[in-house]
Amino acid sequence: MEEGKSLPQSHVQEVNNDAVRPSFGAKLKAHFRKWIYVAVPRISQDGVNDSILEIQSLTLSNPTATSFHLEQDALLTNHNKYHPRLDAFNASLSVGGAEEEKPYAYIQLPAVHATETTTTHIDQVVQITDMDAFVDYNTQLLTKESVDLVIKGRTKLHQGRLPVITVDYHKTITMKGIVKLSPSSKAQSFNITSFSIKLIPEPDGANMVGTIYIPNPSVMTITMGNVTFNNYVDGDFIGTSTLSDLVLRPGNNTLPMRSTVNQTLVIGKVTAKYQDGLLPVDIVGNSSVYEGQHLEYFEKALQSNRQHIVLDVGAALAAVRGGGGGTD
């Protein structure tokens, strides 16, 4: 080649291509880098979405006007082949199916190693952040056979030596209602199983005492305090009934009930209209008071629900005349 003359352009281009062509190892690294930063987050999120959370027990105690103590055990099931660790995180609680999702409270969910089955435990005081939303939640618990609880949050996921990934946690859990009080429910609802009439009121003013049956098919234990109900016949107010220190537990609850009723009005209705002694009574929740504080979220839920029962007042009056004083 003569001095000063350059190589042909095609030869220069070939040399440059060989210089920048990535090696097989570099291509492999790029492939895995793409897999780690694109595929792994998607796989991790899918795994979280596919997991199942089942609340096995829930206890609401020490209620105040703006808070309650929550103790909850849950079972997390993970059918994915990956078993990551999730950091603790703050999660919102809201009612499913609402037109606008409004969290009624926030809870701290614990860190968990998502093996095939994992149990989690919560024990904390929860502040109510939206009273209307919490009233809606409790109303559904009292009037529907089930209610959807929505849990939402964001946390960090750890899987071996892979980069830490941020995932969204969004679960809707269908829970049985506390009490099947819905008029359309085919299940046995609450009922006054026995009562006796007192012609001379007792020291607290009660002139009818008895027992009330309340089934609770849910896994929830709820402290409601002193609960009162207003009783009506044909729209006329006849008196109040009180359940003192009410704690509804899973299963069948048989509880003492004390009532103050207008006996003159009741006897008048039996004499004039209900001569068979079977008195149709409408019962409407009135108040829920715990340690002197009114619990609005229970009171409004109770007030929204009207129940109807039939009391055999004739048998109770006959027992009084015969000296027995009651009916079963």
Side-chain angles (χ1 to χ4, degrees), residues 252-271:
N252 297 329
N253 295 263
T254 300
L255 308 163
M257 177 196 69
R258 303 182 68 80
S259 304
T260 302
V261 300
N262 185 332
Q263 292 183 349
T264 301
L265 181 59
V266 169
I267 292 173
K269 287 187 174 293
V270 170
T271 302

Side-chain angles (χ1 to χ4, degrees), residues 57-325:
S57 69
L58 186 155
T59 300
L60 188 158
S61 61
N62 296 322
T64 74
T66 58
S67 69
F68 55 89
H69 183 266
L70 174 67
E71 190 167 359
Q72 175 183 295
D73 291 310
L75 178 68
L76 177 65
T77 302
N78 173 27
H79 295 304
N80 198 293
K81 65 180 180 179
Y82 301 107
H83 295 156
R85 296 182 183 274
L86 299 176
D87 288 348
F89 65 99
N90 203 34
S92 65
L93 304 178
S94 58
V95 183
E99 292 184 3
E100 182 179 356
E101 192 173 281
K102 294 182 179 179
Y104 62 78
Y106 292 83
I107 61 174
Q108 183 73 11
L109 290 180
V112 62
H113 183 195
T115 56
E116 186 172 348
T117 56
T118 309
T119 57
T120 64
H121 182 72
I122 294 173
D123 188 348
Q124 58 196 253
V125 175
V126 178
Q127 300 295 324
I128 300 169
T129 56
D130 190 308
M131 186 59 69
D132 289 341
F134 196 39
V135 168
D136 183 31
Y137 173 71
N138 285 294
T139 300
Q140 291 196 37
L141 284 176
L142 289 179
T143 59
K144 294 186 176 181
E145 299 205 10
S146 65
V147 58
D148 287 339
L149 174 64
V150 179
I151 304 176
K152 293 179 69 174
R154 177 168 289 184
T155 186
K156 300 291 186 182
L157 181 147
H158 306 262
Q159 179 63 53
R161 295 183 179 181
L162 294 175
V164 177
I165 300 166
T166 299
V167 292
D168 292 319
Y169 192 87
H170 186 179
K171 293 294 176 185
T172 299
I173 304 171
T174 300
M175 303 184 65
K176 289 185 177 180
I178 297 177
V179 186
K180 293 185 177 179
L181 292 179
S182 172
S184 62
S185 174
K186 296 180 181 180
Q188 185 179 5
S189 186
F190 86 102
N191 194 22
I192 296 175
T193 56
S194 66
F195 68 96
S196 61
I197 295 174
K198 307 292 182 181
L199 296 180
I200 300 176
E202 298 192 348
D204 62 353
N207 57 7
M208 189 179 88
V209 297
T211 56
I212 188 169
Y213 165 77
I214 305 178
N216 178 7
S218 79
V219 297
M220 291 177 273
T221 299
I222 310 293
T223 297
M224 302 181 72
N226 296 327
V227 176
T228 64
F229 298 88
N230 291 338
N231 305 313
Y232 301 86
V233 175
D234 298 333
D236 295 327
F237 175 72
I238 63 169
T240 61
S241 297
T242 300
L243 303 179
S244 298
D245 300 321
L246 175 60
V247 179
L248 283 177
R249 295 181 170 84
N252 297 329
N253 295 263
T254 300
L255 308 163
M257 177 196 69
R258 303 182 68 80
S259 304
T260 302
V261 300
N262 185 332
Q263 292 183 349
T264 301
L265 181 59
V266 169
I267 292 173
K269 287 187 174 293
V270 170
T271 302
K273 186 176 181 179
Y274 302 102
Q275 297 178 357
D276 59 359
L278 301 179
L279 197 66
V281 181
D282 291 316
I283 301 175
V284 182
N286 178 33
S287 66
S288 175
V289 180
Y290 183 79
E291 294 187 351
Q293 295 187 63
H294 280 267
L295 307 178
E296 177 186 351
Y297 43 89
F298 288 148
E299 290 183 341
K300 288 188 175 180
L302 289 166
Q303 291 164 6
S304 69
N305 190 26
R306 178 181 292 264
Q307 293 302 305
H308 181 81
I309 64 172
V310 176
L311 287 181
D312 191 350
V313 176
L317 290 173
V320 170
R321 289 192 295 268

